[in-house]
Amino acid sequence: MKITDFEKYNISVPRYTSYPVITDWAGFKPLDWIYSLINGYTLEIDLYIHIPFCEKLCYYCGCFRTITKNKDRADKYIDKLKKEWEIYTKLFPHIKIKSLHLGGGTPSFLTPNQMHRLLSILTPYKSKDFSGNIELDPRTAKDEHIKILSEYGFRSASLGIQDFDLEVQEAINRIQSFELVSALVEKLRANMFNEINFDLIWGLPKQTKKTVTESFKKVLKLRPQRISYYSYAHLPDRIKNQRLIKEQDILMGKEKGELFSIAKNILLDDDYIAIGMDHYALKGSELACAYENKKLHRNFMGYVSHKSDALIGLGVSAISQSSSGYVQNTKDLKDYEEILNKGQLPLVKGHQLNNEEAFRATIIQEIFCHGIISKVDISQLTNKLDVSKQLDQYVKDGFMDESQKAYIVNELGFQFIRVIASVFDQYRTKTYQFSKAI
Ligand SMILES: C[S@@+](CC[C@H](N)C(=O)[O-])C[C@H]1O[C@@H](n2cnc3c(N)ncnc32)[C@H](O)[C@@H]1O
Ligand code: SF4
């Protein structure tokens, strides 16, 4: 690909974890959300719980979290999570939790006792085929946490690795040795965790092709079932802590892109397959099989091998999703507590999908999961001519191949998958500040 083309498509685009993207949500009515659950034909849900606390700031962090060492705050927070969950269980006494994702922030910020208390609140609602996944920070995850989680039925964990190079770790204020991570992986496997994910980031300060190569050699030694390799989203105007990162230490544009390609080649030369824009799965793993059988789905937490009608998010900033729309809880911890004290759901934002949006959302899902765009789907769009013209251009640019029935995104195209998806975004003419495609 020519450098001019690279720059042409290295534009600010949303990640499309929802469609419409959250900045385009409008006309929110909390009752629509409750009705959408009633109409969802199922009370078997995926549950997401957001734990917003972290002990130490990582300079690159763009997640919603607050830095504190005060564990009492978590006790109060669990009380509120309990209240929020009780609102749902009063409305839907037969609700069953099919899967639980503990995310953050840092769920392992909770002491083992606090974690036990939180999980006990949910025990009566676990479905028979329950599965649990937790985001673990290797620096705070303890043996007792793992024991409690394993006994509860958690078999999957996502570890925040970011990079194994010491100089990079110093530049991002996150020191964690390979030995620490390796011991945690061993402990998890000994406690029946059979799906382990590593989060890594490309484009961090002090990263070079050499450091990334070395880091990925270490990743391969531990053979996680999944790897998320995110592009560093550097938005210092909006995310203040990122101003602690020296801009001269980070690679941009094509040089940054090479940090992605080098890791991708290492993984593909080994036993991993690429999924979507930034994920890799070990051949034979649950995610790899779902991909190969075209059963992959994507929600706010990433790729999943099952589809459910509703995802309920508990906790500050948490997002919930049903087939007919989205809602988000307040991001303000104080408001979150006050609204719950009044016995109300702390919802502040949402969007009810109309038919056109629901259709476009399905197309965007299929692009991110399997890279396939059906020509029959395109023919049903009001702007089908513009869409086809743009996709024909992407074929010429080498992003996709064309068959009689579909456009199929290729390896290069997956690097620009957000740009490709944006063709189907009827709101994308508005300018918002998103991170660059690369
Ligand atoms: C919500 S965080 C939770 C993980 C956990 N707190 C930890 O760091 O161990 C999930 C992942 O988002 C990624 N992340 C955070 N900030 C990012 C940024 N600015 N750009 C790209 N990825 C980022 C990191 O890889 C992180 O592991
Ligand atoms: S990357 Fe994870 S541990 Fe670090 S500050 Fe962000 S949420 Fe907390």
Side-chain angles (χ1 to χ4, degrees):
M1 185 184 195
K2 291 196 297 261
I3 290 186
T4 44
D5 288 345
F6 182 91
E7 291 308 334
K8 182 165 95 187
Y9 293 123
N10 191 19
I11 51 174
S12 297
V13 258
R15 291 182 66 81
Y16 292 110
T17 46
S18 72
Y19 180 76
V21 296
I22 198 158
T23 41
D24 293 319
W25 292 1
F28 161 60
K29 296 190 207 91
L31 270 184
D32 284 348
W33 164 241
I34 298 301
Y35 286 136
S36 82
L37 290 180
I38 296 167
N39 293 332
Y41 306 109
T42 177
L43 291 172
E44 286 225 323
I45 55 136
D46 292 327
L47 187 65
Y48 171 77
I49 299 188
H50 191 79
I51 307 294
F53 307 111
C54 297
E55 286 187 16
K56 209 170 169 204
L57 173 70
C58 307
Y59 293 165
Y60 59 83
C61 180
C63 308
F64 181 77
R65 42 81 200 132
T66 172
I67 309 294
T68 176
K69 288 207 181 336
N70 181 358
K71 302 280 171 175
D72 293 346
R73 290 185 70 180
D75 275 320
K76 284 195 204 128
Y77 187 70
I78 294 170
D79 292 343
K80 295 297 173 281
L81 288 172
K82 184 168 181 271
K83 272 189 185 247
E84 191 181 1
W85 179 238
E86 280 169 359
I87 296 178
Y88 282 106
T89 54
K90 277 194 188 126
L91 286 167
F92 306 107
H94 301 297
I95 200 163
K96 285 282 169 225
I97 306 166
K98 211 171 155 54
S99 80
L100 169 62
H101 183 109
L102 294 181
T106 309
S108 48
F109 175 90
L110 303 184
T111 64
N113 276 344
Q114 288 170 334
M115 184 151 315
H116 184 261
R117 183 159 86 89
L118 173 62
L119 294 176
S120 303
I121 295 165
L122 308 172
T123 305
Y125 304 97
K126 275 169 79 180
S127 82
K128 281 195 205 93
D129 54 352
F130 170 87
S131 67
N133 180 35
I134 181 162
E135 291 169 16
L136 288 177
D137 179 339
R139 299 167 301 171
T140 52
K142 308 230 168 29
D143 289 1
E144 299 96 294
H145 285 126
I146 297 168
K147 195 166 164 280
I148 290 167
L149 291 162
S150 177
E151 281 171 6
Y152 200 82
F154 280 69
R155 296 291 174 262
S156 165
S158 178
L159 276 48
I161 305 294
Q162 324 312 345
D163 195 297
F164 279 119
D165 184 85
L166 182 59
E167 217 186 324
V168 176
Q169 291 188 357
E170 280 168 353
I172 58 174
N173 197 36
R174 183 175 181 141
I175 312 279
Q176 47 184 42
S177 68
F178 175 74
E179 289 69 29
L180 179 80
V181 175
S182 168
L184 175 58
V185 169
E186 205 176 303
K187 193 86 206 171
L188 286 166
R189 289 192 169 135
N191 281 276
M192 296 187 289
F193 279 74
N194 47 28
E195 282 282 318
I196 294 180
N197 175 77
F198 280 7
D199 281 348
L200 290 109
I201 306 183
W202 50 286
L204 288 175
K206 299 284 181 188
Q207 272 182 341
T208 63
K209 286 196 266 183
K210 187 160 174 286
T211 64
V212 166
T213 306
E214 291 306 314
S215 270
F216 272 84
K217 278 189 196 157
K218 289 183 177 157
V219 168
L220 290 184
K221 278 192 194 160
L222 301 178
R223 302 199 85 61
Q225 277 69 27
R226 305 175 183 195
I227 295 165
S228 312
Y229 191 37
Y230 299 118
S231 167
Y232 172 43
H234 187 60
L235 301 160
D237 292 343
R238 224 174 56 193
I239 305 170
K240 278 199 189 119
N241 52 278
Q242 293 187 346
R243 294 178 204 161
L244 296 162
I245 286 181
K246 292 191 191 115
E247 296 217 330
Q248 69 264 30
D249 286 346
I250 52 180
L251 299 176
M252 305 271 192
K254 202 165 170 67
E255 276 185 313
K256 181 183 175 191
E258 283 170 357
L259 303 176
F260 168 81
S261 313
I262 206 154
K264 182 181 80 179
N265 292 338
I266 293 173
L267 294 174
L268 299 187
D269 284 349
D270 203 285
D271 256 352
Y272 288 85
I273 59 162
I275 292 181
M277 159 179 73
D278 40 25
H279 287 68
Y280 297 85
L282 191 60
K283 285 178 193 160
S285 66
E286 197 185 303
L287 200 69
C289 294
Y291 174 76
E292 269 148 20
N293 297 325
K294 304 252 180 303
K295 293 256 162 69
L296 207 59
H297 301 280
R298 187 170 174 255
N299 62 24
F300 288 98
M301 284 96 70
Y303 286 100
V304 287
S305 51
H306 65 276
K307 182 173 163 54
S308 62
D309 286 332
L311 161 74
I312 293 182
L314 302 184
V316 68
S317 83
I319 294 177
S320 305
Q321 175 176 15
S322 73
S323 50
S324 52
Y326 313 101
V327 283
Q328 186 178 34
N329 282 352
T330 173
K331 288 181 164 187
D332 186 299
L333 209 50
K334 208 161 154 266
D335 287 350
Y336 175 73
E337 291 177 1
E338 280 172 9
I339 300 172
L340 280 162
N341 282 341
K342 287 188 219 150
Q344 293 165 6
L345 284 176
L347 307 171
V348 289
K349 222 175 174 182
H351 188 86
Q352 196 72 6
L353 293 166
N354 61 33
N355 288 344
E356 175 80 12
E357 290 164 340
F359 183 54
R360 285 172 185 260
T362 328
I363 297 178
I364 290 175
Q365 259 285 332
E366 194 55 17
I367 296 176
F368 274 93
C369 290
H370 303 109
I372 298 170
I373 309 167
S374 144
K375 289 190 176 172
V376 174
D377 285 351
I378 296 171
S379 70
Q380 291 170 47
L381 294 170
T382 42
N383 61 339
K384 55 181 179 266
L385 292 179
D386 288 344
V387 166
S388 301
K389 202 170 144 202
Q390 187 58 65
L391 296 183
D392 288 342
Q393 181 60 44
Y394 290 159
V395 172
K396 282 190 202 134
D397 287 332
F399 290 173
M400 45 176 67
D401 305 309
E402 190 181 357
S403 74
Q404 215 182 345
K405 291 189 174 161
Y407 291 93
I408 301 131
V409 181
N410 61 25
E411 222 181 288
L412 176 66
F414 267 110
Q415 278 195 55
F416 294 92
I417 197 83
R418 290 156 62 174
V419 180
I420 295 170
S422 71
V423 174
F424 296 89
D425 182 347
Q426 69 213 93
Y427 303 100
R428 90 193 150 97
T429 43
K430 292 184 187 172
T431 48
Y432 293 111
Q433 202 189 9
F434 296 104
S435 56
K436 293 265 184 108
I438 295 290

